[in-house]
Amino acid sequence: MATFTQTVTGVPAKQLPRYEQAAESKHELDWADLVTLDLSKFDAPGGKQALAHQLKDAVHKVGFFYITNFGLEQEQVDRQFAIGKELFSLPTEEKLKYRADLEHGNYNGYRPLGSAELFPGLRDNVEMYNVFKYIPELERTQPEVINEHWQEIEGFQRHIAEDVVQKLLILIAIILELPEDYLTKGHRYDDISECHLRYMIYHARTPEENERYQNLYSRGHTDFGSLTLLFRQPIAALQILTADGSWKWVKPHPGSITVNIADVLQFWTAGYLKSSIHRVVAPPPDQSGLDRLGLLYFLRPAQDLSLKTVDSPLLERLGLKGDEDEAGSIKAGDWVRARVKGNLDKAVAGGQKEKAVLGGVKVKYYN
Ligand SMILES: O=C(O)CCC(=O)C(=O)O
Ligand SMILES: [Fe+2]
């Protein structure tokens, strides 16, 4: 295994202030009905099969689900929120030293406030900091607060990448009637890929600003990679576009991670797995004055893998494996970078639109 040689300062890590989670909203919102997978059942006899059975409809029809008992204590999760909070409190000029090369579709590093235009002339209220995997090929200079805690961050990433995500990929392989290691092979921590742990912050807006922005924090979109894991943030804001065309809120259940299927799994399964459209809106009135910190892990496959439909007996039986595979010539890494670049495009008046990304394949955007 490669060893990583990130420069550390030699100065003992500063104490981080304890992160206090916000109180949940008292508003009764129109919550999405999502299944919860208890991952502690994974290693029990027949556990994987039972979990795969539970997951099958959810990943086909909704694309979103919760997981619990994923092997991280709330305290470990809160430490990551504390790192994110510290990072975003740095002066803007300091953060800009670590700006990601967004123009080339590279998300490694800082994405400044207002990078995406939501409506013509109206920019987003989001900052992001993406920490790619700690492998030599992806090394970059990082702010002090990241370097001071890099071993903890790497340990956190590795637990997600080498334990949680591996279990989920095995369940999905079982659903697709593929060998259990079929998907895990393309998602190793030491592969060059764009997987990252993301700290992000949505800055609260005034009620007047929210009105101008039609309450939108982040446009409806699908995610670019294989899976996205969203650590629980009690400030409600995430919504899913459901099959009947209505938006439903995602409830931040204690002790859970919200997981969603992203584009690459949709390509590999000719649409059987749903890369669902979701968006982020202004929180309900009792939380709308709060900045909303986010902690997410974006799983992406080894960059050279093609987006060709996999040889799944299930997909064969369903008649989904046709001769036409328009994404077959696209590489996963190229898809992800094209979509990162696309996020910098100017907003188009009139809302919903479709946009060609690569090789004639298009994506839809929603407000
Ligand atoms: O902040 C959230 O709840 C979701 C963020 C999201 O969808 C994304 O960053 O892709
Ligand atoms: Fe997303």
Side-chain angles (χ1 to χ4, degrees):
M1 193 168 55
T3 49
F4 184 80
T5 53
Q6 177 79 44
T7 347
V8 273
T9 56
V11 180
K14 260 196 311 194
Q15 281 258 307
L16 282 171
R18 199 182 162 78
Y19 182 72
E20 297 291 342
Q21 296 280 354
E24 277 190 32
S25 171
K26 299 267 191 300
H27 291 265
E28 205 27 65
L29 303 172
D30 189 8
W31 303 111
D33 187 17
L34 306 178
V35 302
T36 302
L37 296 190
D38 176 354
L39 288 187
S40 68
K41 295 186 179 152
F42 188 88
D43 291 316
K48 282 186 279 200
Q49 283 66 27
L51 288 171
H53 181 72
Q54 197 193 350
L55 187 60
K56 191 169 177 177
D57 251 18
V59 285
H60 176 48
K61 296 194 175 132
V62 190
F64 270 78
F65 55 98
Y66 298 109
I67 55 172
T68 57
N69 296 315
F70 42 83
L72 292 165
E73 299 299 325
Q74 188 59 41
E75 207 172 317
Q76 291 170 285
V77 175
D78 285 348
R79 285 276 304 174
Q80 293 303 318
F81 275 107
I83 290 170
K85 191 168 177 187
E86 192 80 358
L87 178 73
F88 293 121
S89 71
L90 294 171
T92 304
E93 65 274 19
E94 177 64 19
K95 289 181 280 195
L96 285 174
K97 289 183 195 158
Y98 307 98
R99 189 181 185 282
D101 187 8
L102 302 169
E103 289 69 18
H104 291 99
N106 188 338
Y107 248 173
N108 195 354
Y110 179 59
R111 192 182 108 164
L113 185 69
S115 291
E117 197 183 35
L118 298 181
F119 300 100
L122 296 177
R123 303 213 143 258
D124 71 6
N125 56 340
V126 181
E127 290 177 81
M128 290 179 192
Y129 195 89
N130 299 319
V131 183
F132 275 38
K133 296 183 288 189
Y134 282 91
I135 59 174
E137 297 85 350
L138 301 174
E139 196 171 349
R140 63 151 302 144
T141 57
Q142 308 274 10
E144 193 84 348
V145 59
I146 298 296
N147 285 339
E148 283 174 345
H149 300 284
W150 79 269
Q151 282 155 312
E152 194 175 341
I153 298 170
E154 186 193 3
F156 194 84
Q157 284 186 341
R158 279 195 183 265
H159 178 77
I160 301 166
E162 294 176 339
D163 185 286
V164 183
V165 145
Q166 300 297 312
K167 287 178 175 146
L168 297 177
L169 292 174
I170 288 172
L171 297 180
I172 293 170
I174 293 173
I175 292 171
L176 297 171
E177 301 166 21
L178 291 166
E180 285 190 6
D181 66 350
Y182 193 97
L183 297 172
T184 56
K185 282 186 301 194
H187 296 88
R188 284 185 282 243
Y189 192 86
D190 295 303
D191 289 336
I192 301 180
S193 72
E194 321 246 335
C195 296
H196 57 272
L197 184 68
R198 174 180 302 171
Y199 307 98
M200 78 194 282
I201 188 165
Y202 301 84
H203 294 275
R205 299 198 193 106
T206 62
E208 296 72 34
E209 283 172 320
N210 276 331
E211 201 172 309
R212 270 204 297 148
Y213 277 85
Q214 300 171 33
N215 279 332
L216 195 69
Y217 272 15
S218 169
R219 257 182 302 178
H221 64 277
T222 60
D223 290 344
F224 322 151
S226 307
L227 291 171
T228 304
L229 282 74
L230 171 75
F231 285 85
R232 176 181 179 254
Q233 165 51 267
I235 302 176
L238 177 61
Q239 295 185 331
I240 311 174
L241 186 59
T242 58
D244 68 11
S246 64
W247 292 98
K248 296 241 192 288
W249 295 77
V250 177
K251 194 168 172 64
H253 288 294
S256 74
I257 296 176
T258 304
V259 183
N260 64 281
I261 302 287
D263 292 350
V264 169
L265 280 175
Q266 179 166 301
F267 283 124
W268 281 346
T269 61
Y272 181 79
L273 298 179
K274 286 275 168 313
S275 179
S276 288
I277 308 243
H278 52 284
R279 69 178 183 184
V280 183
V281 298
D286 56 354
Q287 295 180 321
S288 63
L290 303 173
D291 289 343
R292 180 174 182 269
L293 206 53
L295 177 68
L296 301 98
Y297 190 84
F298 287 85
L299 178 73
R300 292 173 175 175
Q303 64 180 7
D304 289 336
L305 290 183
S306 120
L307 295 182
K308 191 170 168 296
T309 309
V310 296
D311 288 321
S312 149
L314 173 73
L315 301 182
E316 290 276 2
R317 263 200 326 279
L318 294 173
L320 288 172
K321 257 195 83 66
D323 298 332
E324 277 194 30
D325 189 348
E326 59 174 354
S329 59
I330 300 176
K331 284 186 179 171
D334 294 338
W335 175 259
V336 168
R337 275 187 293 277
R339 292 221 49 202
V340 169
K341 269 196 264 186
N343 269 349
L344 300 181
D345 292 352
K346 293 192 80 56
V348 171
Q352 179 180 339
K353 64 180 194 291
E354 203 176 50
K355 188 160 72 177
V357 176
L358 254 192
V361 182
K362 300 189 178 84
V363 282
K364 283 199 167 105
Y365 283 87
Y366 293 76
N367 285 339

